[in-house]
Amino acid sequence: MIVLGIETSCDETGIALYDTDRGLLGQALHSQIAMHERYGGVVPELASRDHIQRVLPLTRQVLDEAGLTLAQVDAIGFTEGPGLAGALLVGASVANAIAFALDKPTIGIHHLEGHLLSPLLSADPPPFPFVALLVSGGHTQLMRVDGVGRYALLGDTLDDAAGEAFDKSAKLLGLGYPGGPAIARLAAAGRPDAIALPRPMLRSGDLDFSFSGLKTAVSTRVRAGLDGEQDRADLAWALQAAIVDVLVAKSRAALEQTGLTRLVVAGGVSANQRLREALTGARPAIRVYFPEPALCTDNGAMIAFAAALRLQAAREAGQPLPPAPDVFGVRPRWPLEQLAAV
Ligand code: KG4
Ligand code: ZN
């Protein structure tokens, strides 16, 4: 079964083809970062308009490169939520229009499920069950994952997400968008422990997070006056260290609480090198899995893959593929735990 995946939830148009027999057949991505950069963040209306211009040319490109036609696609997966309503509607409209015209089924995919399952696309995929640390621009969650759609929330952020702390602090430091990679680059020149920042909720005794205080601490330090590039780099180092320390401590606590020995880290912040090093060091009994570097941030491959897994499971359970759609919608807010197991 060949599945076309369409991701348009935020500032990346991602298109991919996944074959349940042969794996990933191809993918293409257009990032809107250059367009949003001058505004210091994503402008939703601009995002939607750009997705409109990109979805079909990228789809054509991926099909051409794979030597396939739309008629050979068996089903279409699209990101139904969570995300920006207008941006989601572009992907949903195109997916459902193509499907209706060609009489193929569609399946709406939860963006975070895409992230969560993306490490399964690597050469050495993690077996279920595992603990997942989901760290994206809008979410910071620890989940227990027992299978596709079998997700139990262990911990969540009470305010800002880790990616948001990177992005907002980068803005305070006058760095570009997205903030995570910019902070990481600046931190490379920072001196360890030259500036002290808090580790919010480190000892809260639960698996929840809070990062808005960290952003406030960065803001206070910036307002107190930074003396040159070294000070800025020291602050970037301190911020990255504080975020990484909290993420590592809570992930380890989640492993202890569940008794599981596999940790999957996914979402944009999983690209952070320091987080990777800190999570993989020193605990031989724990195995940590990351998505391939190109699949850490938003992409179409994870959506095509999640759609293929769900459709294949339905088929194996003897359920026919759903009919071509005549109605569709999007879910800008959509809790992951509401998903049905397969
Ligand atoms: O998963 P993603 O691409 O989009 C969402 O679903 O939100 O995650 C984007 C987030 C942004 O906050 C960005 O600053 C962060 O991931 N990010 C990073 C790095 N690369 C991206 N944060 C820290 N270090 C990185 N290398
Ligand atoms: Zn994402």
Side-chain angles (χ1 to χ4, degrees):
M1 178 174 33
I2 296 177
V3 181
L4 173 69
I6 300 181
E7 154 66 36
T8 64
S9 68
C10 188
D11 59 349
E12 247 109 34
T13 316
I15 306 290
L17 284 166
Y18 185 84
D19 182 343
T20 47
D21 293 327
R22 291 180 291 162
L24 195 61
L25 300 180
Q27 62 165 324
L29 189 75
H30 173 75
S31 167
Q32 303 176 352
I33 284 176
M35 184 179 76
H36 297 297
E37 210 169 17
R38 77 176 86 158
Y39 304 101
V42 178
V43 183
E45 183 58 25
L46 293 183
S48 314
R49 289 175 188 211
D50 199 66
H51 285 307
I52 290 175
Q53 292 181 328
R54 307 285 175 184
V55 173
L56 285 176
L58 285 179
T59 302
R60 212 159 285 134
Q61 178 190 329
V62 172
L63 285 166
D64 286 349
E65 284 170 6
L68 292 171
T69 63
L70 262 185
Q72 289 168 287
V73 169
D74 298 297
I76 304 177
F78 65 97
T79 306
E80 188 176 341
L84 302 170
L88 289 166
L89 272 170
V90 176
S93 308
V94 173
N96 285 284
I98 295 174
F100 186 74
L102 299 179
D103 198 19
K104 314 270 183 186
T106 55
I107 176 166
I109 294 297
H110 194 294
H111 180 81
L112 293 180
E113 176 170 69
H115 277 303
L116 197 68
L117 299 176
S118 62
L120 272 65
L121 272 167
S122 60
D124 180 20
F128 298 114
F130 52 76
V131 169
L133 171 67
L134 264 177
V135 269
S136 68
H139 292 82
T140 300
Q141 295 182 329
L142 278 160
M143 321 270 315
R144 182 193 163 103
V145 179
D146 286 289
V148 178
R150 297 173 64 201
Y151 313 129
L153 186 67
L154 302 171
D156 203 348
T157 182
L158 305 180
D159 40 57
D160 289 355
E164 217 170 341
F166 274 116
D167 293 338
K168 288 179 174 172
S169 301
K171 215 168 171 178
L172 290 166
L173 278 164
L175 299 171
Y177 168 86
I183 294 276
R185 271 192 303 275
L186 184 58
R191 292 169 300 180
D193 303 317
I195 294 176
L197 287 180
R199 284 6 184 199
M201 312 257 303
L202 192 60
R203 282 176 233 297
S204 61
D206 55 26
L207 299 175
D208 289 333
F209 304 87
S210 163
F211 289 108
S212 70
L214 207 44
K215 167 201 64 195
T216 309
V218 169
S219 162
T220 307
R221 191 67 190 73
V222 170
R223 265 188 284 123
L226 292 172
D227 191 14
E229 207 44 34
Q230 188 62 55
D231 262 12
R232 286 158 49 78
D234 291 348
L235 186 54
W237 193 97
L239 172 72
Q240 179 172 256
I243 294 175
V244 167
D245 276 2
V246 175
L247 292 177
V248 170
K250 298 273 171 163
S251 299
R252 289 192 174 147
L255 289 163
E256 258 159 49
Q257 186 179 306
T258 54
L260 298 178
T261 55
R262 287 180 290 270
L263 176 69
V264 161
V265 190
V269 181
S270 69
N272 186 273
Q273 204 50 42
R274 196 182 143 115
L275 176 65
R276 288 179 170 234
E277 284 158 15
L279 280 171
T280 33
R283 300 266 168 118
I286 303 296
R287 197 103 198 247
V288 190
Y289 298 80
F290 299 94
E292 301 286 335
L295 300 183
C296 284
T297 46
D298 293 348
N299 62 84
M302 67 184 194
I303 302 304
F305 179 60
L309 286 185
R310 284 190 165 269
L311 291 168
Q312 196 176 25
R315 186 177 266 184
E316 278 162 14
Q319 299 161 6
L321 291 183
D326 52 8
V327 288
F328 68 90
V330 294
R331 303 190 213 204
R333 291 173 184 275
W334 188 8
L336 187 61
E337 316 84 80
Q338 284 181 0
L339 290 190
V342 302

